[in-house]
């Protein structure tokens, strides 16, 4: 089993009760038998098969709730109703990751756990892309409507798919639209820049969270993983 999954499992065994896993995709959490979970995603398995032909569809869980965190958040989920929320490798795809974190906090019960991870760009195909600053994200989320545009993915051509630089503009635009449809990474972090981003959200929105568990990216050569307890 991949090292990053082993690191995640060290914390999963501490969970209990009922919760949500958002965007589990190919790696749903290995949860204890005393947990019940509903799987949420922006697309169902049929749509995933069409958009991501490279993925083994049989490895994806059945989706219980189709949600778009950028548009409606977790509007279908009552306040303080969940013992845990797991949101691995989702925040980097979102137009408004700040709204998503606040929504997860809203639906957590007192002493509930917010479990999250994001890839560290240094260990992924994003390694040459510029880091996303808090200022840039805050500026983006003030736009109306709150939707990405192809222009939000231009740096993927400049730093990742450089073979497209000399292609006709029509081919570039087609690629940008494909990146947008697949909801490729909008936000690019290292573990330390994400920690700074997340702690800023905690402070700005007065989220009463305490760190329970943390794995830095150098420990798994891939991602930042952490769990936070809601204290009020």
């Amino acid at each position: 089993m991949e090292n990053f999954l082993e690191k995640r499992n060290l914390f999963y065994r501490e969970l209990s009760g009922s919760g949500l896993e958002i965007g589990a995709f190919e790696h749903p959490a290995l949860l204890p038998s005393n947990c019940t979970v509903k799987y949420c995603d922006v697309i169902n398995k049929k749509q995933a098969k069409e958009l991501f032909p490279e993925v083994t569809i049989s490895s994806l869980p059945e989706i219980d709730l189709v949600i778009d965190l950028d548009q409606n958040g977790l509007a279908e989920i009552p306040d303080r109703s969940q013992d845990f929320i797991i949101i691995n490798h989702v925040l980097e795809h979102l137009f408004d990751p700040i709204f998503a974190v606040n929504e997860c906090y809203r639906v957590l019960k007192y002493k509930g756990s917010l479990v999250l991870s994001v890839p560290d760009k240094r260990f992924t195909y994003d390694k040459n892309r510029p880091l996303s600053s808090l200022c840039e994200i805050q500026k983006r989320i003030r736009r109306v409507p709150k939707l990405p545009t192809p222009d939000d993915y231009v740096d993927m051509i400049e730093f990742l798919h450089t073979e497209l630089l000399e292609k006709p503009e029509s081919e570039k635009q087609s690629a940008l639209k494909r990146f947008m449809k697949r909801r490729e990474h909008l936000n690019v972090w290292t573990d330390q820049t994400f920690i700074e981003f997340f702690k800023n959200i905690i402070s700005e929105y007065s989220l009463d969270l305490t760190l329970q568990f943390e794995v830095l990216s150098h420990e798994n050569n891939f991602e930042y993983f952490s769990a936070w307890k809601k204290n009020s």
Side-chain angles (χ1 to χ4, degrees):
M1 181 174 292
E2 294 97 330
N3 183 43
F4 77 93
L5 294 178
E6 293 174 356
K7 297 288 187 181
R8 291 181 186 182
N9 291 338
L10 292 174
F11 180 77
Y12 290 155
R13 67 185 65 167
E14 304 298 323
L15 294 174
S16 62
S18 60
L20 306 176
E21 183 164 10
I22 302 169
F25 218 57
E26 293 181 281
H27 299 294
L30 184 61
L31 296 172
S33 59
N34 62 344
C35 288
T36 58
V37 62
K38 287 187 176 181
Y39 295 104
C40 309
D41 213 320
V42 71
I43 53 176
N44 58 35
K45 284 182 73 169
K46 181 181 178 181
Q47 293 167 317
K49 185 176 181 179
E50 295 170 355
L51 280 174
F52 303 95
E54 72 274 19
V55 170
T56 303
I57 297 301
S58 60
S59 67
L60 307 185
E62 294 295 337
I63 303 303
D64 298 297
L65 294 171
V66 175
I67 62 167
D68 189 332
L69 278 175
D70 276 328
Q71 297 303 305
N72 300 312
L74 296 169
E76 300 177 41
I77 311 299
D79 293 358
R80 298 175 176 268
S81 61
Q82 306 299 311
D83 294 298
F84 59 86
I85 306 288
I86 301 171
I87 182 166
N88 290 321
H89 288 238
V90 172
L91 297 176
E92 67 271 18
H93 297 272
L94 297 180
F95 182 87
D96 190 347
I98 297 173
F99 176 55
V101 170
N102 276 281
E103 277 291 273
C104 290
Y105 183 84
R106 176 183 65 79
V107 305
L108 272 180
K109 293 179 181 178
Y110 169 58
K111 293 189 177 180
S113 292
L114 173 57
V115 185
L116 59 88
S117 68
V118 295
D120 185 315
K121 80 162 200 160
R122 295 171 294 182
F123 301 101
T124 75
Y125 54 77
D126 285 329
K127 62 184 179 181
N128 293 324
R129 296 175 70 191
L131 290 164
S132 301
S133 71
L134 175 61
C135 181
E136 289 168 343
I137 294 171
Q138 290 173 327
K139 181 179 178 180
R140 180 212 303 151
I141 66 179
R142 289 195 292 267
R143 286 176 9 202
V144 178
K146 291 180 62 175
L147 292 169
T149 69
D151 287 345
D152 291 315
Y153 299 89
V154 166
D155 74 313
M156 289 190 67
I157 292 178
E158 295 175 347
F159 299 98
L160 179 57
H161 295 283
T162 55
E163 73 280 2
L164 293 169
L165 288 172
E166 303 303 321
K167 298 294 184 181
E169 187 62 27
S170 59
E171 194 167 336
K172 292 178 186 176
Q173 288 301 315
S174 178
L176 291 171
K177 289 176 182 177
R178 183 172 69 253
F179 301 153
M180 184 176 69
K181 190 172 184 180
R182 284 169 57 99
R183 292 184 177 233
E184 301 285 2
H185 296 174
L186 267 179
N187 307 299
V188 178
W189 293 296
T190 63
D191 54 6
Q192 294 304 310
T193 62
F194 178 77
I195 291 168
E196 182 181 352
F197 167 79
F198 190 72
K199 288 184 175 179
N200 183 278
I201 298 173
I202 289 175
S203 174
E204 183 172 348
Y205 293 91
S206 300
L207 306 185
D208 192 1
L209 294 168
T210 299
L211 182 65
Q212 293 176 283
F213 184 85
E214 183 176 59
V215 180
L216 299 177
S217 60
H218 74 266
E219 298 177 66
N220 54 39
N221 295 321
F222 182 40
E223 68 176 15
Y224 172 75
F225 176 87
S226 61
W228 302 76
K229 181 175 71 174
K230 184 176 181 178
N231 299 311
S232 59

